[in-house]
Amino acid sequence: MKDFPAELRPFAQWITDLGEGVEILVTSGIVLILSVLVPSSRLRRRVVVGANSITAAAAFIFLSVAGGGLTAALVKNVIGRARPKLLETYGHLHFEPFTFDSDFAAFPSGHSATAGAMAMSLALVFPRLRSLFIPVGVLITFSRQLVGAHWPSDTLMGWAVGVAFALCMAHVFARRRMMFFYDRDGCLRRKGGRRVMQALWKAVAGGAGVAKPG
């Protein structure tokens, strides 16, 4: 991407940094830690139900993003494709498998895999916001080419790995009836979340969150 305007490179770099998924992993991780520390035995049943739904959503997002990124990281180091910066030296189809060198870890793109997993997992948990999450994920994926870190095929495959991993995790959760379920036609569906969140908020805001001692 030598023709990419230099003035836009800082913006492209900022976008591509989002592909590390740090914010999503930290946020969902904190929710999971808090869910372990909160004494559920002292909470009312409707609060526990809402808290369990939030915990399941956080676990799903965390596992999808972390798993998608780790899968791509392992595969790309095994394949060992040279990055675009080595084009003049090795060409665009040079491979050195099992080198575990970042210069030979282009295919698939780890950032793109994380972006795909983030976009898909968030879109599944918050379907009304999928028109926001999916384009942002695609933009992160495309930015990897703009900063010269990957070939188009690297980012495309990375996106596919992340999306596929998130979908697989959704089916894993659905089989355990956590966060998702299958309808009569066998299609994957998300459990209703807005009513749970509203009930949780009303219970906590109204001071009804803690059960009275018997």
Side-chain angles (χ1 to χ4, degrees), residues 44-115:
R44 292 189 181 276
R45 183 177 182 278
R46 61 178 175 176
V47 178
V48 172
V49 171
N52 288 342
S53 297
I54 295 174
T55 301
F60 167 68
I61 294 172
F62 183 90
L63 292 174
S64 296
V65 175
L70 289 174
T71 299
L74 176 61
V75 173
K76 71 179 182 179
N77 279 286
V78 170
I79 294 177
R81 186 183 187 182
R83 292 186 182 272
K85 66 180 181 179
L86 301 177
L87 173 63
E88 296 182 359
T89 304
Y90 296 107
H92 67 284
L93 283 176
H94 180 78
F95 298 87
E96 293 191 11
F98 298 99
T99 57
F100 289 88
D101 184 334
S102 62
D103 287 344
F104 298 94
F107 182 89
S109 165
H111 280 69
S112 299
T114 302

Side-chain angles (χ1 to χ4, degrees), residues 124-145:
L124 289 173
V125 174
F126 307 103
R128 292 191 176 186
L129 296 177
R130 59 180 178 271
S131 59
L132 169 64
F133 296 133
I134 299 299
V136 170
V138 171
L139 184 59
I140 294 173
T141 299
F142 185 60
S143 72
R144 298 303 290 161
Q145 300 175 46

Side-chain angles (χ1 to χ4, degrees), residues 46 50 128 193-205:
R46 61 178 175 176
R128 292 191 176 186
R194 187 172 67 175
R195 291 182 180 179
V196 171
M197 291 296 293
Q198 289 177 343
L200 178 63
W201 171 253
K202 289 180 180 179
V204 175

Side-chain angles (χ1 to χ4, degrees), residues 124 167 170-171 174 180-183 186-190:
L124 289 173
L167 288 174
H171 285 286
F180 304 99
F181 68 97
Y182 295 108
D183 61 17
C187 296
L188 183 71
R189 302 292 183 187
R190 181 182 68 92

